[in-house]
Structures are given as structure tokens and as C-alpha cells.
Amino acid sequence: MLRNKDATVDMYEQLPVPFGLVRFGVAPDHPEVKNCQDKFEEVASSPRFNFIGNTDIGRDLPLSSLVPHYDAILFAYGASKDRRLNTQGEDDVDGIYSARAFVGWYNGLPEYANLSPKLDAGEEAVIVGQGNVALDVARTLLSDLDRLRTTDISEHALEALAKSKIKRVHVVGRRGPLQASFTIKEIRELMTLPKLGFDGVSADLLPSDPSKLPRVQKRLTQLLMKGSTLASPAEKSWALDFCLSPTSFNSNTPQSNHLRSITFARTAFQSPDHTDPKATVQPTDQHITMPASAAFRSIGYKSEAIPGMQALNIPFNATSGTIPNANGGRILALSSNVKDQPAEHLPGMYCSGWVKNGPTGVIATTMEDAFATAEAIAEDWANDISLHAKDAASSLRGRWDGLKRGAGSWSLRPVSWEDWRRIDAAERERGRARGKQREKFTSTQQMLEVLD
């Protein structure tokens, strides 16, 4: 919209509310991370922007129906599934949750509003995975409730956390501390939470002389070494456990299928350089069993294809959960199966964010990636590259107004930006009654009832 003053943007969203990962993925106690919403509000205030919420492309509205009405289509729908461990007992034992589901549950995502994690079955919890999401889960499980009450965490989550018996959380990874994907900021925040102990990291896993490491690795090592020497007996504590790979989730007894413990294989580095961020490990024949009454799988997210992509010659890599692309998010056509023939760009088709690169980076890097894709779209427009032939006048494109005129056969209940503002006002009013910023609606029906 900045590069092309005639551009109009329609944004389709599956839910009646905007902001996606910022609303449903950012930890409630990190409100500063959500400041990027201000920029989105600025864009949404433009008369050349149109929000069409509560519209699931590929299900509520066929993907192919968009093509005649637009010069370009951008896929930026993120990752809706989580990766699995494929470990014995993962599907059979109760008390095992995906971190994505748990985060969605405490953030009010309708898909997981009824998750009801059992947090009162025991004192030990284990998180498999060592990214920032894993640390968000650990912090939420161990935080003082008064710290969370004024945030926008869902009320049902506060009620469950008030009954939680969890006092100890293990955050477990297959590799070592210098291969973990968490950031220094997240580690420091957990280490400085009041009334919370940290078990420390074995000196065997840390370089003896961190001064020779690159800056980020050096700071992380120094932080872990400092944290490891703090003697702070506390009612609640957490630990970073490295070089462990889960082999089985174990239940209580034949009469109770709830999680009792997790068995891990110890892993060993395949090279002597344990400081290499890409260093790999392999399981050994040594095993340990760790008590646990709740477990959380946090090893990454994964995007899914939208129904109707293949019919439009749009490829999708189900293994990586990404749309094949090149040169700034330009989508590549399905392979012609001709040897050595390079894949061609599908004119007018683009992708951005996690469905473009996989679930990596933080919000800032995702925004930078979006800017790069927008530059590619603007560049192609300047060169008359779009979904339609050059002589097919853009003025004939109906966009949402034209599309909805022919949408009588589809069961649609679209939500506009003005509708969202009414939902937003209602959530804020609910929050004020509880002394917090907002109390989110946790079902689509509740959101739509505000508009009836």
C-alpha cells in the first residue's frame, strides 16, 4: 500500500478476530511483544484495507473463487499443527499435551478452550523441547498467580493454575546448552522470577572458558554458569536437562492410564566440538526415568496445505510444512517432472512467514520477512506480473465486494474491522470487571453474539 497508492488489500482470517500469533501465541506476561498490533491498527484504518474475518479459505470459501477477483494472492497463514515425538505412549497415556495446545488454551484460542489440562495430578512436569515456547510454558506453570491476574490470560486458565500442584518443571532437550533454541532474554526472565529456584547445569556440559566463544554463546554460557551457582531453596523450581531423548511415556497402573514417568535415552555428541550450534547427537544405551504427572511436547509447529492448492498448481511440502518459493516469497509452480528444468514462479502467487520458511524466528524476524515479500509483490506489479494477463484490466477485479455478490451458495458470516472493534470493546469491558486489560471470548459463537 505504501509502494502502490492504487493498491487495495483484502485480508481473510479464519477467526472473527485479528492478530493471530500475537493474540493467541504470545505469553500473557509479555504485553510489550504485542505492541506490533499498533502498526496493524494503523494499516487497518486505511480505506484501502479490508478485513474479512470468520472466513476459512479452502473450507468456507473455495480458494479458486479468489483468483478471478485479485491481481495477487499472498499466503501468510502460519503453522496450525505441532510436530510429534512419535514416542511410545505419546498417543495412549493421559496427561501429555502439545505446547501449542496449552499456549492456545491459556491464551483463549477457541480451538483449545476445552483442553482442560490436568495440573493437579502431581508435582512434577516435563517439557520436551528447549525453545522459547517451552520456557513460556514453564514460566506460566510456575509463576505466582498474582503476577498473571492482571494480564489477558484466560479466566479458565487462572482457575486451573490456582488448583495446580506442579512445583517442579524439567525443560528437556536432546542436545546441549549451546544447541538449544531458547534466547538469553527468556532464560534470564525465568532465573529472576521471585520465589523460584533453578537447579543449574552440570559444568561438564559448559565450556570451561566461555571468553573464546562468539558473543551470544559466551553470554548464554556465563548466564548458565552464574545461575548454576545460585543457592536459592524455593518451594518451586525448574531445571534445564540436556542430552536426553524420550523413549517412552509410562502410565501409573493398568487401572489408571495417567502419566507417571518418562524414560529417556542419554545422548552423546558425534563430534568433540560441543560448542558448534549445529552439532548432532545420537542415543546411547544408557537410560534414565524421570517422574512426571504432566508432559508437554514443544518441538516445533507445522503448517498445513489449504484445500484447493493443488488444483491451482500450488505446491506444498508436507514434510517441512512449507510452500516451495524463491526470490522473496514468490511461489514456485508444481514440478513439471522434466529433468534439470527449473521450477517457474507462479505469477501473482506469494507466501510469507512460517508457511514460507518454517516455524523459525520471532515476531520481528517474521515482520522483516513480510516486508521482503511485499517488496517482491510491488516489484512484480511494476513489471506487469500478476495473476492475470496484462491486458485484463485491474479495474475489473471485484475483490471482496465482487466476490461476496456471488457467494450466495456459500454459508458465510464475515466479520468486518468495525465488527472486530465491537468485539474488542466487549472483551475490554469484561476485563475491566476483573481488573485486567481484557477477558477474551473463547468461542466463535461468543464473539458473534456480540454482533447480533
Side-chain angles (χ1 to χ4, degrees):
M1 290 168 65
L2 288 174
R3 290 283 301 274
N4 188 328
K5 300 303 180 183
D6 295 323
T8 299
V9 175
D10 291 346
M11 189 184 85
Y12 292 85
E13 164 61 47
Q14 176 182 348
L15 290 168
V17 296
F19 305 132
L21 182 67
V22 177
R23 177 181 169 100
F24 295 116
V26 173
D29 58 348
H30 284 177
E32 72 285 352
V33 179
K34 302 183 183 185
N35 290 339
C36 58
Q37 292 179 177
D38 297 339
K39 183 63 179 178
F40 194 91
E41 291 273 4
E42 179 186 331
V43 173
S45 66
S46 169
R48 295 189 289 131
F49 175 87
N50 196 22
F51 175 75
I52 305 106
N54 198 42
T55 304
D56 190 355
I57 299 298
R59 294 176 176 85
D60 296 338
L61 198 62
L63 179 58
S64 60
S65 68
L66 272 63
V67 174
H69 296 279
Y70 295 96
D71 296 301
I73 295 176
L74 168 64
F75 297 92
Y77 58 87
S80 59
K81 299 296 177 184
D82 64 291
R83 296 185 182 278
R84 302 184 60 78
L85 292 162
N86 297 318
T87 299
Q88 179 184 335
E90 183 178 5
D91 297 322
D92 307 320
V93 177
D94 298 332
I96 303 168
Y97 312 96
S98 82
R100 179 183 182 274
F102 186 70
V103 170
W105 168 77
Y106 66 60
N107 273 326
L109 181 62
E111 180 182 359
Y112 295 116
N114 298 319
L115 182 69
S116 300
K118 192 169 178 57
L119 306 179
D120 58 356
E123 297 184 352
E124 305 271 352
V126 171
I127 303 167
V128 180
Q130 292 184 324
N132 282 346
V133 174
L135 298 189
D136 284 345
V137 171
R139 198 175 62 254
T140 301
L141 289 170
L142 295 170
S143 284
D144 188 280
L145 278 184
D146 289 338
R147 184 173 179 272
L148 297 175
R149 289 190 197 281
T150 57
T151 71
D152 64 356
I153 190 170
S154 295
E155 197 66 23
H156 61 237
L158 279 175
E159 293 172 1
L161 289 167
K163 300 174 184 175
S164 173
K165 294 181 180 178
I166 293 173
K167 293 183 178 181
R168 181 174 171 81
V169 174
H170 291 266
V171 184
V172 183
R174 290 185 306 110
R175 299 189 294 167
L178 298 185
Q179 290 78 42
S181 55
F182 49 62
T183 60
I184 294 172
K185 178 181 178 295
E186 297 284 336
I187 287 289
R188 183 183 292 113
E189 185 175 3
L190 256 172
M191 285 186 173
T192 56
L193 275 185
K195 304 177 183 178
L196 184 64
F198 175 61
D199 283 8
V201 178
S202 171
D204 295 341
L205 294 169
L206 297 171
S208 57
D209 184 6
S211 65
K212 298 179 180 179
L213 296 173
R215 179 173 177 270
V216 173
Q217 287 184 309
K218 179 174 71 174
R219 290 176 59 207
L220 175 61
T221 301
Q222 290 171 338
L223 180 62
L224 292 176
M225 292 173 73
K226 179 181 177 182
S228 300
T229 60
L230 290 176
S232 54
E235 183 182 354
K236 294 183 178 181
S237 65
W238 69 290
L240 288 168
D241 297 277
F242 298 100
C243 295
L244 295 173
S245 180
T247 57
S248 69
F249 293 93
N250 314 309
S251 59
N252 282 323
T253 64
Q255 291 74 36
S256 172
N257 198 41
H258 195 84
L259 181 68
R260 179 188 80 249
S261 64
I262 306 172
T263 300
F264 294 88
R266 292 194 182 276
T267 62
F269 283 97
Q270 293 184 286
S271 66
D273 184 6
H274 300 175
T275 65
D276 181 359
K278 296 182 179 179
T280 58
V281 296
Q282 60 184 2
T284 69
D285 57 4
Q286 299 178 24
H287 292 78
I288 68 164
T289 297
M290 191 178 291
S293 59
F296 301 86
R297 178 181 61 242
S298 185
I299 58 170
Y301 297 166
K302 193 175 182 180
S303 300
E304 290 188 304
I306 290 178
M309 278 183 163
Q310 189 169 7
L312 296 177
N313 204 29
I314 299 171
F316 190 84
N317 186 324
T319 302
S320 64
T322 58
I323 299 173
N325 66 91
N327 302 324
R330 295 175 172 91
I331 294 177
L332 302 175
L334 283 169
S335 173
S336 63
N337 294 321
V338 177
K339 187 178 180 180
D340 298 328
Q341 178 176 318
E344 296 183 351
H345 168 221
L346 276 175
M349 293 287 188
Y350 307 87
C351 57
S352 176
W354 285 3
V355 76
K356 172 185 174 183
N357 305 307
T360 61
V362 294
I363 288 176
T365 54
T366 303
M367 289 176 66
E368 289 297 324
D369 179 73
F371 297 151
T373 298
E375 288 290 337
I377 296 173
E379 181 181 318
D380 285 352
W381 281 350
N383 292 306
D384 296 316
I385 299 172
S386 74
L387 278 170
H388 305 284
K390 182 179 178 180
D391 57 355
S394 179
S395 60
L396 300 179
R397 232 72 76 223
R399 297 181 289 274
W400 168 239
D401 287 338
L403 197 157
K404 67 182 178 183
R405 282 196 293 270
S409 61
W410 303 311
S411 179
L412 299 178
R413 173 61 165 90
V415 170
S416 69
W417 192 256
E418 288 304 315
D419 291 336
W420 150 243
R421 284 178 169 165
R422 292 169 61 190
I423 296 171
D424 178 45
E427 288 186 338
R428 290 179 182 275
E429 182 61 32
R430 282 159 48 95
R432 279 192 290 272
R434 294 173 170 82
K436 55 200 296 192
Q437 181 185 20
R438 75 169 64 239
E439 179 61 30
K440 298 172 189 169
F441 295 111
T442 57
S443 75
T444 296
Q445 180 180 346
Q446 289 176 329
M447 297 172 189
L448 297 180
E449 285 175 352
V450 174
L451 309 177
D452 294 336

